[in-house]
Amino acid sequence: MRTLFNGEFSVDYGQMYIDSRAEADIHEGPEAGLHECFMGQQAGLCGAAVPGHLFLLTGISEGSVPLTVELHEAEPPLDFDGWEDIVETPFRAASNDTTLNEWDGEGRDLGLPAGTYRARYHCRGMDEAVGLRLEDEAVLDEYLLQFWPAPHESDRVVKQTSESAAYWHQFASELPQPPTPEELAEAERLTREKEEQDERERRERAEKREWGGRLPSDRLRSVGKAAAGLRTLDVALVHAVDEAGPETQRAIARWAAHRSCDVAGLSGADWIARGLAELDRGLPFSPPLDDPKTARNLLSSDPQIPHTVITRPDGTSDSQQEVALFSLIIAADPDPLKALLLALHAAAGAHGTGWHDLLTEVRSEFPETAHAPLPPETVPPKKRPHYGNAIRAVAVKQHPGEEPQR
């Protein structure tokens, strides 16, 4: 025989515990509450229904009790006369880290090897030790817990004397049987399905808030962040142009490029005019527009090009000519919806505080979008991308390894 613990042990709510479960099993396994631990048992006092866990009850509700824990090589002799109440339960130590735990979770390692055991819990003085025991008060109840290797066998009441033990035996016998592994698996599946459904609904609500109270089409989702800027300004128009189809989308992208270049004073430059004509005819850009990096450099050096700064609705400033140049370049994107969303958003930026009038004009020029309600004239103060940075990003994609000029 080996003594694993011998001394006074603190209890709260008349409870102490033996636990051999790993952290993952504690968090993911069944709850080790009073009902769960005694389900399906005839014996109270020592609940063993949760695998790897024992729930031990005491007479006093708060204080410390004398406790001895022993490990035997074989079943020890039964001390029937020395103890008032005795119960036996099966116990499987799931690991070599079995601990004796207080109610608040503080534990002491018992050094019990992993394995399958029989546990015999002895009690005396339970009826006398009711309530709180102070440090200087006499001991009224005492406990002994013995383990020995044994195959699994149902719990049993070996001896019952006290009214406390009778109460807990009746409590245990009236509890339902614990759920089967199949029932636990089904409950886990239903819980997982409910969590997944809740998460889907949460994402859907959040997405609807972003998209003006309705879900975006798969086509809008496919263009990703390209819709974000225009959606902030006019989410109803974004839905409308999505429904209009690729031909209208391409037409609006070209229109937006023209309006951007007109308002920024770029249309009079020969190379910009040539680029607008190529865009209208669906031709690839000729130099310098075939190279966004070169085009942006020429923007600052061409005497035909004015230099103005516009203030966007969010209060930030940008070069009106850089914004318009981005609108022209991006309008040729192979994806008509992406080209429209980015070119029209850039055109709104090129119009500065007049963006609302531009988007109203879209509805007049393209009847397919007229059903979209007009947006308010103000927008949330969200910082918008700097179009010079966007043009440089396009340049880096076309010239990998080169540092864009600033």
Side-chain angles (χ1 to χ4, degrees):
M1 186 270 291
R2 181 158 61 93
T3 300
L4 306 180
F5 178 83
N6 184 34
E8 295 211 351
F9 192 75
S10 178
V11 300
D12 286 284
Y13 302 99
Q15 301 171 17
M16 53 188 176
Y17 320 94
I18 302 292
D19 208 331
S20 68
R21 298 170 300 169
E23 282 295 322
D25 295 330
I26 292 175
H27 292 298
E28 298 176 8
E31 182 181 351
L34 178 66
H35 287 74
E36 291 80 6
C37 288
F38 285 91
M39 276 182 157
Q41 291 194 184
Q42 294 302 309
L45 304 181
C46 181
V50 174
H53 185 81
L54 290 180
F55 195 119
L56 306 173
L57 296 170
T58 61
I60 67 164
S61 60
E62 185 175 349
S64 61
V65 296
L67 171 68
T68 300
V69 182
E70 299 173 346
L71 173 61
H72 295 257
E73 293 182 358
E75 180 179 356
L78 182 62
D79 186 0
F80 196 84
D81 295 329
W83 296 91
E84 296 175 350
D85 298 286
I86 307 173
V87 297
E88 289 182 4
T89 64
F91 176 70
R92 182 181 179 277
S95 70
N96 292 323
D97 299 320
T98 299
T99 55
L100 171 64
N101 294 340
E102 298 178 13
W103 182 83
D104 62 3
E106 176 148 354
R108 306 187 188 188
D109 183 21
L110 290 179
L112 180 69
T116 302
Y117 297 93
R118 190 74 172 164
R120 181 181 290 163
Y121 187 44
H122 309 68
C123 314
R124 58 179 165 226
M126 292 189 72
D127 285 347
E128 294 79 13
V130 177
L132 169 68
R133 180 198 168 200
L134 301 176
E135 291 184 5
D136 57 352
E137 290 184 337
V139 171
L140 297 177
D141 53 344
E142 187 174 357
Y143 303 88
L144 167 66
L145 179 63
Q146 296 174 322
F147 292 103
W148 67 91
H152 184 280
E153 187 179 341
S154 299
D155 66 285
R156 71 183 184 115
V157 177
V158 178
K159 180 181 179 182
Q160 182 260 305
T161 302
S162 69
E163 292 182 4
S164 295
Y167 170 84
W168 287 115
H169 296 331
Q170 182 177 353
F171 164 79
S173 66
E174 293 176 352
L175 290 174
Q177 290 293 319
T180 65
E182 293 76 17
E183 290 170 336
L184 288 173
E186 177 63 10
E188 182 180 348
R189 183 187 67 80
L190 293 174
T191 299
R192 185 170 59 252
E193 285 184 355
K194 178 64 165 57
E195 291 173 348
E196 291 172 352
Q197 177 65 24
D198 289 346
E199 177 61 18
R200 284 193 298 271
E201 292 176 356
R202 184 197 66 77
R203 288 197 303 267
E204 183 174 301
R205 289 193 298 270
E207 193 172 27
K208 282 183 176 180
R209 285 195 297 269
E210 289 182 349
W211 290 90
R214 60 181 286 192
L215 291 175
S217 67
D218 291 340
R219 184 73 181 91
L220 279 174
R221 288 194 183 98
S222 72
V223 298
K225 295 181 179 179
L230 189 60
R231 183 185 67 202
T232 302
L233 293 177
D234 194 339
V235 66
L237 184 60
V238 171
H239 287 296
V241 297
D242 172 44
E243 295 164 357
E247 289 187 9
T248 300
Q249 291 162 4
R250 183 63 69 190
I252 296 176
R254 292 167 179 164
W255 178 87
H258 277 275
R259 296 291 280 111
S260 297
C261 293
D262 289 345
V263 76
L266 295 184
S267 299
D270 54 0
W271 57 282
I272 294 290
R274 185 171 62 251
L276 288 168
E278 290 166 344
L279 177 67
D280 290 341
R281 296 169 61 189
L283 300 175
F285 286 132
S286 59
L289 287 172
D290 62 336
D291 181 356
K293 178 180 176 183
T294 303
R296 186 171 181 274
N297 291 339
L298 184 58
L299 197 68
S300 59
S301 61
D302 189 337
Q304 305 175 84
I305 303 297
H307 300 285
T308 53
V309 174
I310 45 95
T311 300
R312 298 198 298 270
D314 62 357
T316 58
S317 299
D318 213 336
S319 163
Q320 190 177 31
Q321 287 67 43
E322 285 188 351
V323 174
L325 178 62
F326 177 75
S327 180
L328 170 57
I329 293 173
I330 204 63
D333 190 276
D335 185 326
L337 180 59
K338 180 179 178 183
L340 177 157
L341 294 169
L342 292 174
L344 187 55
H345 180 231
H351 281 70
T353 55
W355 66 270
H356 191 272
D357 294 336
L358 176 76
L359 299 183
T360 302
E361 191 178 348
V362 174
R363 290 164 168 81
S364 299
E365 293 289 331
F366 299 93
E368 299 93 330
T369 67
H371 66 280
L374 284 168
E377 295 196 19
T378 58
V379 293
K382 294 181 180 179
K383 186 175 181 181
R384 311 206 194 292
H386 190 287
Y387 290 98
N389 291 338
I391 295 172
R392 283 196 291 274
V394 174
V396 169
K397 289 182 180 178
Q398 296 192 5
H399 300 272
E402 294 185 21
E403 177 66 24
Q405 296 185 14
R406 299 182 181 277

